[in-house]
Amino acid sequence: MCRLIGYAGPTVTLETMLFDAPFSLRRQAHAPRHQTLGRINADGWGVGWYDPAIRPEPARYRTATPMWADIRFAEIAPLIRTGCFVAAVRNASPGSPVEETGSSPFTADDYLFTHNGYLDGFREGLGVALRHGLTERREGALLGAADSEVVFAMVLDRLDKGASLATAVTEVLGEIHDLTTGAFNFLLTDGTTMVATRDGNSLFTRSLADPAADSADAGHVIASEPYDDDPRWQPVPDRSLATIADGTLTITAL
């Protein structure tokens, strides 16, 4: 059922955040510790990151290759520095094709989005109904067959109307709850603010501040599961929204 990680804060390398830790995202691809459905995430992976000195839109890399077998990106990850990124490894929902277009994160305009979970009935008519509810612009931009990409398009339609990141995500979550069951851990960022829902799947947060220092400029991580055994990891309660904004992490009930 996928594993995701998002980070916002001072500049870090993608090697440090995705590959070096003892239970890094690369290890979670084949040996997750908190995954409840499916024990391997072999159906691709991806990462998106921001470099505002170059452009406001994020760069993205994704592939249908399992993360542990993707030597190409592991070689360049030490050279990529960023203050905000989103990454995910994929365990495709039943009936979904294994293809690059199904790998998170999804991107449009200044946004990155990923979804850890599934929508019951998506292949039995729900997906068609959700697509019909999209604006022509967002429906026409869909590239693949993943339920997560359709959810992102629903979020984008609300962002296009001026909704905040938190409002867009929670409104879509409410609409989906009215239509089906499943697991709906969503993560969305514009490169400055990051929001994530915990709804039916594991989710943790952690501050990267030195515990001996009083730093308001700490980096913060939101992840499906801890990438190490540091005691600063905190579980997010189910049906909650985690927000990173202005160097601060907050958790609110949905």
Side-chain angles (χ1 to χ4, degrees), residues 21-55:
F23 304 104
S24 67
L25 189 66
R26 176 167 59 179
R27 179 166 176 177
Q28 292 172 29
H30 63 83
R33 296 189 293 170
H34 293 267
Q35 193 159 316
T36 56
L37 288 179
R39 298 306 304 166
I40 192 168
N41 300 289
D43 299 326
W45 82 285
V47 57
W49 67 94
Y50 293 84
D51 188 341
I54 297 176
R55 67 182 192 189

Side-chain angles (χ1 to χ4, degrees), residues 94-210:
S96 298
V98 177
E99 55 189 5
E100 183 179 307
T101 56
S103 296
S104 293
F106 301 96
T107 185
D109 308 325
D110 298 346
Y111 304 106
L112 289 170
F113 176 85
T114 187
H115 168 209
N116 175 13
Y118 59 94
L119 277 63
D120 282 323
F122 186 81
R123 304 287 164 199
E124 290 76 47
L126 177 62
V128 174
L130 293 179
R131 283 172 176 264
H132 286 169
L134 298 173
T135 61
E136 182 177 351
R137 175 191 179 196
R138 294 306 182 184
E139 196 280 334
L142 296 174
L143 298 177
D147 53 1
S148 302
E149 187 180 19
V150 175
V151 173
F152 182 37
M154 296 169 68
V155 170
L156 289 169
D157 270 339
R158 286 158 176 79
L159 292 170
D160 291 342
K161 295 177 181 178
S164 68
L165 273 67
T167 298
V169 167
T170 55
E171 283 186 356
V172 169
L173 182 63
E175 180 178 343
I176 291 173
H177 263 291
D178 289 340
L179 297 172
T180 190
T181 55
F184 316 117
N185 281 24
F186 303 146
L187 190 151
L188 173 71
T189 185
D190 60 2
T192 301
T193 299
M194 182 175 292
V195 298
T197 58
R198 182 190 173 188
D199 192 329
N201 232 315
S202 62
L203 196 69
F204 294 79
T205 62
R206 176 186 165 182
S207 169
L208 297 187
D210 184 340

